[in-house]
Amino acid sequence: MCVYNNVINQWEKKYARLEEKFNAKCRENEKLKKELSDLQTVKYSGSVPKEVEISAECKDEISRLKKELEESRKENEELKKKKLSENTENAEVSENAVVLKLPCGVKNLFENEIEDFLYKVVYDELESQSHNFPQNKNDEHFRKQDVITSLLQNKQFNFEKSATSNLMKKINSVLQTRDIKKLSSCGFVKKNGSKNYPKYYFYKERYQFAFSLTPEDRNAPKNQMREISKRVFLYKM
């Protein structure tokens, strides 16, 4: 697994979304052109087609759409250039990158779930081992020290900015509001349970638990987050 693959994947996803938006606008434009064509010529039985003046509202819509399409094209081109530059840079760097293939029998529940976990585990272990190396530059050098130092110096993964960390923060924020229903925006689905102990599951029914909504329990959000972290996340807060 290589950190640069993540960068490329993110750009490809962003480009795909923009391209779909652009194609949708093109389809919308074609539909609008047809509507305009129908408006411009009204056919009467046995008579010559009559020209119909295009309304100001319709002209404004066409103008707005053309402007939006042009902006989409420009954004598309910029993205293509940036992606090409990014791919070129990554191709140069990847010659010295370590790529790991780790077969796994389960799929991500959300974007980069397993990747975030693996990066965190690897870099935590590297950090831990680096603390045992001598800090004096005049001391002996070891192959392991050189490799670990290089890996840490070139680290681009930041767990605090990862998809996993962002989702955990969002869940914690929802719990603080005591509005459990908002957890549906975080991948939770309500299953059953009593009024004061509603039961939810996280993406799959395999990962479920009950929430305590007891008003006097001031530590409820903290305890709920701890339980969620333990049951449904690969790496705990």
Side-chain angles (χ1 to χ4, degrees), residues 2 19 24 36 41 49 62 96-97 107 115 117 121 124 139 156 171 193 207-209 211 216:
C2 175
E19 192 170 39
L36 281 175
T41 305
I62 283 290
N96 296 320
K107 296 181 180 180
E115 288 88 338
F117 168 63
V121 169
D124 279 356
D139 289 337
Q156 293 189 351
I171 293 172
Y207 314 114
Q208 58 181 273
F209 46 88
F211 289 101
E216 59 269 22

Side-chain angles (χ1 to χ4, degrees), residues 167-180:
L167 181 55
M168 294 175 87
K169 292 173 183 175
K170 183 178 179 181
I171 293 172
N172 190 53
S173 178
V174 169
L175 294 176
Q176 294 298 325
T177 67
R178 303 276 183 138
D179 191 353
I180 303 299

Side-chain angles (χ1 to χ4, degrees), residues 2-49:
C2 175
V3 69
Y4 297 103
N5 289 338
N6 256 353
V7 177
I8 296 174
N9 289 337
Q10 292 300 321
W11 277 116
E12 287 179 342
K13 288 177 182 178
K14 183 176 180 181
Y15 176 72
R17 288 194 297 269
L18 182 60
E19 192 170 39
E20 175 57 31
K21 178 182 176 182
F22 176 76
N23 290 335
K25 288 299 178 184
C26 287
R27 291 192 295 270
E28 184 181 344
N29 192 31
E30 289 302 316
K31 181 180 178 181
L32 195 55
K33 283 181 179 179
K34 185 178 183 306
E35 291 177 356
L36 281 175
S37 177
D38 293 340
L39 284 172
Q40 287 175 321
T41 305
V42 179
K43 296 182 179 180
Y44 294 94
S45 177
S47 63
V48 179

Side-chain angles (χ1 to χ4, degrees), residues 30 81 106 165 197 217 220:
E30 289 302 316
K81 291 178 182 178
V106 296
S165 179
Y197 292 90
D217 188 356

